Amino acid sequence: MTSAGPAHAQSAAAEGQQLAFDIGKGNCLSCHVIKGGDLPGTIGPELKDIKSKFPDRNELVAILNDETKRNPRTVMPPFGRNRILTEPEINAIVDFLQTL
């Protein structure tokens, strides 16, 4: 297996941003303030300094997949469990979040 280069990481992050801002997919802006996003919501925390807050990307993947496993009272939608996002889409969004 070859390691992904910087160009791949940039394209994955760009795809992740597109998915995160897409109202039919991630729709992260409905609840979160994200740099570069328009009309953000305030239900969830502002998404910044993500890589320092979540150095293990698997934790972010788990949150996007089904945060109810960690916090049963969360309002965060279980994007993976409900098949709103595929595993590759979740990984792309995590790539994007880690650039914030």
Side-chain angles (χ1 to χ4, degrees):
M1 187 165 138
T2 60
S3 63
H8 173 75
Q10 285 181 334
S11 66
E15 178 189 350
Q17 180 177 13
Q18 185 177 7
L19 288 163
F21 289 2
D22 183 335
I23 62 169
K25 280 296 193 175
N27 199 19
C28 303
L29 286 168
S30 67
C31 296
H32 300 278
V33 171
I34 304 172
K35 182 180 176 183
D38 295 328
L39 303 172
T42 57
I43 295 168
E46 181 175 355
L47 299 181
K48 63 180 183 179
D49 302 321
I50 298 299
K51 202 160 187 171
S52 65
K53 291 176 184 171
F54 299 97
D56 180 358
R57 71 174 277 115
N58 293 325
E59 190 174 357
L60 283 174
V61 169
I63 289 169
L64 287 169
N65 189 51
D66 187 359
E67 173 64 355
T68 64
K69 288 181 178 179
R70 207 172 68 148
N71 176 5
R73 299 180 64 170
T74 187
V75 295
M76 177 84 172
F79 290 101
R81 187 187 79 205
N82 286 350
R83 297 188 182 108
I84 298 164
L85 296 169
T86 65
E87 185 177 336
E89 289 171 334
I90 288 172
N91 278 296
I93 291 173
V94 168
D95 288 339
F96 164 61
L97 293 175
Q98 289 189 316
T99 69
L100 301 177

